[in-house]
Amino acid sequence: MAQETPKDNSGFTLPAPASVPPAADAAGAPASATTATTEAVPVLDPAGTTDTSSRDTLVGGVVLLLLFIAFFFAKNAYANGLVAKRVPPNKANASGWWLFIFLASLATGVVLAAVNAHKFLAPLFMGPLVLVGLVALLLTFTSSRR
């Protein structure tokens, strides 16, 4: 009395793995039977085997460019704030550029670490960035003195 309809079987089932290549299956089976058995099952790529380095580098470069634009506006705001505190404009401008260099080196280190931590967290890359950042931070505050 109870006939099973496709709506009654609402569970999720995985297709059986194909042990024979689809080309060998299709040669001996009728056309109606091959549509159900030779559907292409996507092969999932294990994590880490896909090369995304160019895409990651492009995204990192765009993020870095946007950060540099924001840092430029922050540099101008900092220099204008120093001028308002009666610091000479040439010293305030120099201090603003040192702040920009500090923020740019910090952001460059963070973006490089995010793009490829294994490659760019090496002391060869991070050492000069940290050194430039620390010198720029020191000069930011010493060049803004009256």
Side-chain angles (χ1 to χ4, degrees), residues 64 68 71 98-117 119-138:
L64 202 56
F68 283 177
F71 295 159
W98 285 119
L99 177 68
F100 177 83
I101 292 170
F102 166 69
L103 292 173
S105 65
L106 180 70
T108 302
V110 170
V111 167
L112 285 176
V115 166
N116 189 349
K119 181 177 179 182
F120 293 121
L121 278 180
L124 181 64
F125 286 101
M126 287 298 146
L129 280 174
V130 169
L131 184 65
V132 167
L134 289 176
V135 169
L137 183 63
L138 178 71

Side-chain angles (χ1 to χ4, degrees), residues 24-145:
D25 260 354
S32 62
T34 59
T35 57
T37 59
T38 61
E39 290 180 16
V41 178
V43 177
L44 298 178
D45 195 15
T49 60
T50 303
D51 183 28
T52 61
S53 62
S54 61
R55 180 186 54 126
D56 293 345
T57 304
L58 180 66
V59 169
V62 169
V63 167
L64 202 56
L65 179 67
L66 293 175
L67 285 173
F68 283 177
I69 292 169
F71 295 159
F72 183 75
F73 285 109
K75 174 208 82 82
N76 288 336
Y78 181 70
N80 289 336
L82 288 176
V83 170
K85 292 181 183 180
R86 305 277 188 212
V87 174
N90 61 348
K91 286 188 174 186
N93 191 32
S95 181
W97 278 112
W98 285 119
L99 177 68
F100 177 83
I101 292 170
F102 166 69
L103 292 173
S105 65
L106 180 70
T108 302
V110 170
V111 167
L112 285 176
V115 166
N116 189 349
H118 180 70
K119 181 177 179 182
F120 293 121
L121 278 180
L124 181 64
F125 286 101
M126 287 298 146
L129 280 174
V130 169
L131 184 65
V132 167
L134 289 176
V135 169
L137 183 63
L138 178 71
L139 290 173
T140 296
F141 295 117
T142 58
S143 66
S144 64
R145 293 185 183 173

